[in-house]
Amino acid sequence: KTTTAKLVLRLEEPTAGFLRFDGADTNTITGCSIRYVNANNFGVFFDNAADANVIRFSTITTTAWMGLHIQNSSGNVVTDSYIEGGSSLWVLGSTNTVVGGSFLKAPSASGNGLPAGGNVNLDVSSSIIIGGVDGAGVYLDEGSAGLMRLSTNTITGGYAVRVATQASGAALWLTSNTIVGLIDWGDFRAGVYI
């Protein structure tokens, strides 16, 4: 507890590590700058029923694989934040995740701005999402159900939006987005790849 307090008060600077919410509900991270160097997997991790958490007006940057990882959780919200990592925000097996007004950046060549899979109801709006030249801005991996809604975003990456096979009855709404694919196959540029 002492080390955590010193880090929060900026009496010491972190050299490695991550922030993990395992089963922690109704937490709010507001106006924070969270930067991780030498982290192996992710900067911030919501896991195993870490439900109804909010990240807003915050910056999360890491040299790790994921800036923010939301897994097996429900009702988490990311709004008006900047997230950067090998892949910036990964949402896996979660329900009712909302992302709005945020900047998601994956600077690595094969990074994905927003990889997501096995979710129920994902809502992403008014955000800028940048994937690597060999990755995707948004990669909707297989098995999601319910409504996946991408609206009024600017999305770019090798594949700007890449969609795998979803669960039976799943719906994907792409409305009023600016989508720019970076992979150029002669006369074909991959904006949306399904």
Side-chain angles (χ1 to χ4, degrees):
K1 291 183 241 177
T2 302
T3 301
T4 302
K6 287 179 181 179
L7 293 172
V8 169
L9 294 172
R10 297 244 185 235
L11 298 174
E12 292 182 9
E13 287 297 317
T15 56
F18 61 90
L19 183 60
R20 181 177 183 150
F21 293 83
D22 192 355
D25 295 340
T26 60
N27 293 289
T28 300
I29 298 173
T30 302
C32 290
S33 179
I34 302 169
R35 184 176 137 257
Y36 288 99
V37 181
N38 301 324
N40 292 324
N41 292 319
F42 34 76
V44 177
F45 189 14
F46 290 133
D47 189 18
N48 300 322
D51 301 331
N53 295 292
V54 176
I55 295 178
R56 64 179 176 198
F57 306 117
S58 295
T59 299
I60 300 170
T61 59
T62 182
T63 57
W65 181 44
M66 293 288 161
L68 172 60
H69 183 158
I70 299 174
Q71 181 174 335
N72 301 327
S73 300
S74 177
N76 289 296
V77 175
V78 177
T79 183
D80 302 307
S81 294
Y82 177 89
I83 302 172
E84 181 179 319
S87 285
S88 61
L89 167 57
W90 186 22
V91 183
L92 178 65
S94 295
T95 302
N96 299 324
T97 302
V98 176
V99 178
S102 294
F103 191 108
L104 309 177
K105 181 180 178 184
S108 69
S110 60
N112 297 305
L114 174 65
N119 298 295
V120 176
N121 301 331
L122 174 65
D123 187 349
V124 183
S125 63
S126 303
S127 295
I128 297 171
I129 306 167
I130 300 173
V133 295
D134 297 322
V138 174
Y139 177 41
L140 299 175
D141 203 354
E142 60 188 30
S144 290
L147 175 61
M148 293 165 288
R149 184 174 73 100
L150 304 173
S151 65
T152 61
N153 300 293
T154 298
I155 305 169
T156 189
Y159 299 93
V161 178
R162 184 173 183 177
V163 182
T165 303
Q166 303 302 314
S168 178
L172 172 61
W173 291 2
L174 295 170
T175 57
S176 301
N177 295 287
T178 300
I179 298 174
V180 180
L182 301 176
I183 293 177
D184 189 354
W185 295 321
D187 293 334
F188 176 73
R189 186 172 293 273
V192 178
Y193 184 79
I194 299 176

